[in-house]
Amino acid sequence: MKLKQRIGVALLGFCALLVNPVVGAEEAVSITVGSKGFTESVILGEMLQQLARQTGIEGHHQRQLGGTRVLWNALLSGEIDAYPEYTGTLLQEILVNENLQTEAELKQALTKRGLRMLPPLGFNNTYAIGMKAELAERLKLRTISDLKNHPELVLGFGNEFMDRADGWPGLQQAYRLPQQNVRGLDHDLAYRGIEAGTLHVTDLYATDAEIAYYKLRALEDDLNYFPIYNAVILYRADVEQRAPEVATMFNRLAGRIDAPSMSRMNAQVKLNGESESAVAAGFLKQALNLEVDYQVQTAWQRFWQHTGEHLVLVGISLSAAIIFAVPLGILAARRERLGPIVLGVAGVIQTIPSLALFVFMIPILGIGGPPAIMALFLYSLLPIIRNTHAGLKDIPPAIVESAQALGLPSRARLRIVELPLATRAIIAGIKTSAVINVGTAALSALIGAGGYGQPILTGIRLDDIGLILQGAIPAAVLALLVQGLFELIERGLLPKGLRIQTSEVRSAS
């Protein structure tokens, strides 16, 4: 194995070890539940976690893991053991290419993948197209087909709905809708757009609490475009061997949650500000007569948890980037032919959208810390490589020639003369990477890595500015602290006399 490959493997292993340390040769049985990035899914995920814990088995809940595909792939790979899903999503999005028609065919397809599906929970959370009731009344809109008469309306749909097989592309084609001003945005933010009047039409989930709160009207699906979206629980078949009592406990939810109950629970969280844990526990007490022991973290407990997670993400990825990027910058400066290649590859990596890079890492490293750290590491390379390269190239030729005249070997010249003179530029690149790293790390919450992005995502979902600030303000403060830290490091690495001398030489040249 080549040296670079060994280093890469070592880095991946180091990241995985620090974020997911091995607890022993015989790890205790535990169940990890996932949920999507909307309130209903989080509540159902909390129920599954609490049911698992009722059996005496440790349950973990990976909240708000982005879109459907992230959770589906995490379930297939074993990163999570169970999550709430909908039959319409399975038939029309995930397994659409298999042309499944019945529930029996769906279960058979899932069995081939080592998965199990519980009977429906009891409610159909189908998609609907909705708008303000007052506007619908004024424009005399009753059905989705009526939208054809109003091409001027602004449509805003959840990002996932914009690309789903059962989403906007198919809806537009089925109804031949003429609207051109169609935007994709976060599902929860769409309601705020509807209320503000910047959007006129959006996609609804039938059990959304906001439908009544914002006085919206769901337009009749007169062509029966949307299928039935019965809520179900998917779990890995091996749960029945590892923890059969958990599978039995999950099955107790089948048929126990009707649509009014689910809407009421959504409203308790989104409108009344109750925690998902408390709402889930209340339902299990009422419906299954289970006394659930749960804990709701205080604001300070959440702050310290998210701070620790963010520091781990930033600390490991930035440290690894410095170790790799500075030598690469030196190589780029000293090898004329390799320089453009190194800078070009680092530049291409930087142009990949951050969320896409996080998702690209999931098939390789799973969900959680390791893929987030690897993505942040890659994003941190370019500023350090470029500034190291520029710092070495900007050294006045007279200084380099003087060092050569003194007979200093290449490595000694680099260590004694060139790197000290390029320190300011290198540290500037590291500071830039650090600020980018701290900010981008907030996206890690989308793949289960936590950090300050968690309260930001939750705040967006619950329309809670306070929660958003609980993540945004500490992230900004951390970026300033990291920048200040490297200011101190720069002063320590570059003696004052050398800084003055370097400045005078550059001015004279």
Side-chain angles (χ1 to χ4, degrees), residues 334-355:
R334 291 200 156 194
R335 298 288 187 270
E336 295 293 337
R337 293 183 179 180
L338 284 178
I341 297 175
V342 172
L343 292 171
V345 171
V348 168
I349 293 173
Q350 197 76 19
T351 62
I352 300 174
S354 52
L355 183 55

Side-chain angles (χ1 to χ4, degrees), residues 458-476:
T458 304
I460 293 173
R461 174 168 59 83
L462 300 179
D463 194 12
D464 188 330
I465 300 298
L467 276 175
I468 295 174
L469 293 177
Q470 286 181 26
I473 292 177

Side-chain angles (χ1 to χ4, degrees), residues 47-322:
M47 287 187 194
L48 296 180
Q49 180 194 37
Q50 292 173 7
L51 287 172
R53 288 181 173 176
Q54 283 294 104
T55 67
I57 290 177
E58 184 64 26
H60 306 281
H61 183 191
Q62 292 276 18
R63 294 179 165 211
Q64 300 177 238
L65 285 179
T68 297
R69 287 290 173 179
V70 173
L71 278 151
W72 172 255
N73 291 330
L75 185 68
L76 290 177
S77 66
E79 293 290 324
I80 60 174
D81 297 300
Y83 82 96
E85 191 50 276
Y86 303 88
T87 54
T89 299
L90 289 166
L91 293 171
Q92 301 296 322
E93 172 65 14
I94 298 176
L95 302 174
V96 63
N97 294 328
E98 300 191 20
N99 298 315
L100 306 175
Q101 301 298 324
T102 66
E103 186 174 310
E105 291 176 346
L106 175 58
K107 286 186 175 181
Q108 185 177 8
L110 294 172
T111 300
K112 291 178 181 178
R113 293 167 170 82
L115 305 178
R116 298 285 186 269
M117 183 180 76
L118 292 179
L121 299 181
F123 67 95
N124 171 25
N125 190 7
T126 186
Y127 271 118
I129 301 301
M131 59 194 305
K132 293 286 284 187
E134 180 274 331
L135 178 61
E137 191 64 32
R138 177 157 49 88
L139 298 180
K140 301 187 182 333
L141 298 176
R142 296 286 187 275
T143 68
I144 298 178
S145 291
D146 291 337
L147 292 174
K148 289 189 291 187
N149 301 322
H150 296 276
E152 75 282 359
L153 293 177
V154 180
L155 279 55
F157 300 122
N159 290 313
E160 186 170 331
F161 186 83
M162 288 291 292
D163 298 317
R164 287 172 60 116
D166 55 346
W168 168 243
L171 182 74
Q172 183 183 34
Q173 183 177 9
Y175 280 94
R176 298 182 181 179
L177 298 179
Q179 285 79 14
Q180 296 299 315
N181 193 349
V182 183
R183 310 172 187 176
L185 69 164
D186 182 86
H187 177 75
D188 295 289
L189 294 180
Y191 287 111
R192 298 179 66 179
I194 290 287
E195 180 67 12
T198 56
L199 298 177
H200 301 131
V201 180
T202 189
D203 59 310
L204 312 174
Y205 302 148
T207 55
D208 279 351
E210 292 89 346
I211 296 176
Y213 181 78
Y214 289 113
K215 299 178 180 178
L216 304 181
R217 172 186 292 177
L219 301 178
E220 180 188 345
D221 182 12
D222 50 311
L223 297 183
N224 295 316
Y225 171 76
F226 292 116
I228 294 174
Y229 290 82
N230 285 325
V232 294
I233 302 302
L234 295 184
Y235 64 92
R236 291 179 58 80
D238 60 15
V239 171
E240 297 174 349
Q241 285 75 48
R242 292 190 292 118
E245 61 272 41
V246 172
T248 301
M249 189 66 78
F250 284 173
N251 197 57
R252 295 185 64 180
L253 281 179
R256 303 307 295 267
I257 310 175
D258 57 23
S261 296
M262 195 68 249
S263 295
R264 187 163 51 251
M265 286 188 279
N266 287 334
Q268 285 178 267
V269 174
K270 296 209 69 172
L271 306 182
N272 300 342
E274 299 180 38
S275 73
E276 294 91 346
S277 300
V279 170
F283 177 82
L284 294 178
K285 169 62 178 175
Q286 176 187 359
L288 303 181
N289 197 29
L290 292 176
E291 290 287 350
V292 176
D293 183 21
Y294 68 93
Q295 292 183 341
V296 178
Q297 289 182 312
T298 65
W300 278 110
Q301 287 174 327
R302 292 195 301 268
F303 169 76
W304 290 117
Q305 177 185 338
H306 298 322
T307 298
E309 293 166 345
H310 214 89
L311 286 174
V312 168
L313 294 171
V314 173
I316 297 176
S317 59
L318 185 61
S319 299
I322 294 170

Side-chain angles (χ1 to χ4, degrees), residues 394-396 399 424 499-509:
D394 287 345
I395 296 175
I399 295 180
R424 182 180 286 108
R499 293 203 301 270
I500 296 175
Q501 181 180 358
T502 303
S503 178
E504 291 175 349
V505 172
R506 290 184 176 177
S507 298
S509 59

